[in-house]
Amino acid sequence: MKTEFIDVSDTKKNLVVEIPSTVVDAEIDKVSRDYSRAARIPGFRPGKVPPNLIKKMHGDALQRDALNGAVQESVQQLLQEKNVRPALQPEVELNDGYEHGKDAEVSVRLEALPDVPAPQIEGLKLDRLTVEAEEAAVDQQLQQLASQSKRWEDAPK
């Protein structure tokens, strides 16, 4: 898999990923097996539909799902390799001229979180400020709380 990584700025990145046709074909096989397990076609027991029949019936949908899965997997792998943390969902665009059986070239534009170095906290000293409460202020606050929660009904005997 060929990749090209372009740093536009600290936060903007462009990637070009070329996905080999073998990866797409393997993904199509995987997706068709998944579809065949869930498909209900007359004449076949549930989950026993042959994958090649599924490919024949749903070829375009399988190819879209497989290409989508291969693109997501390749982009995630590349982002992990380059240690890029996307801030937003990447814009993924399949280049024009893609045909089944050929390598797929995908352009990805994304905004990444910038690398922020960890703060140096060794040697910092913290001062803890404390205030002593006066007895009169505490009593006054207690009386105010008690006056706010008065009950005006008789208590049960």
Side-chain angles (χ1 to χ4, degrees), residues 132-147:
E132 294 293 325
E134 298 177 6
E135 281 295 318
V138 171
D139 289 339
Q140 179 185 2
Q141 190 64 34
L142 284 174
Q143 281 188 352
Q144 183 180 358
L145 287 173
S147 68

Side-chain angles (χ1 to χ4, degrees), residues 16-148:
V16 177
V17 181
E18 188 173 308
I19 303 169
S21 61
T22 55
V23 172
V24 176
D25 291 339
E27 191 72 22
I28 287 174
D29 290 340
K30 178 181 161 193
V31 170
S32 66
R33 281 193 307 272
D34 292 344
Y35 272 47
S36 69
R37 289 187 192 117
R40 295 189 181 271
I41 296 179
F44 294 98
R45 291 182 297 175
K48 300 295 182 182
V49 179
N52 59 355
L53 183 63
I54 296 292
K55 285 181 190 177
K56 201 179 286 186
M57 293 175 68
H58 304 286
D60 292 339
L62 285 174
Q63 187 171 347
R64 272 194 312 272
D65 288 350
L67 189 59
N68 188 21
V71 166
Q72 285 180 354
E73 190 175 309
S74 333
V75 169
Q76 288 298 331
Q77 181 182 3
L78 182 61
L79 291 178
Q80 285 178 351
E81 285 175 8
K82 298 293 184 179
N83 198 20
V84 175
R85 298 177 305 154
L88 301 171
Q89 187 70 24
E91 289 181 36
V92 179
E93 184 177 304
L94 182 64
N95 288 355
D96 294 337
Y98 172 73
E99 295 176 11
H100 179 64
K102 292 187 177 179
D103 294 349
E105 192 170 292
V106 179
S107 300
V108 180
R109 288 185 303 278
L110 63 99
E111 293 212 18
L113 297 173
D115 290 332
V116 178
Q120 300 297 323
I121 58 173
E122 292 83 27
L124 287 181
K125 182 181 174 191
L126 299 176
D127 294 331
R128 181 174 291 212
L129 302 176
T130 56
V131 177
E132 294 293 325
E134 298 177 6
E135 281 295 318
V138 171
D139 289 339
Q140 179 185 2
Q141 190 64 34
L142 284 174
Q143 281 188 352
Q144 183 180 358
L145 287 173
S147 68
Q148 288 176 351

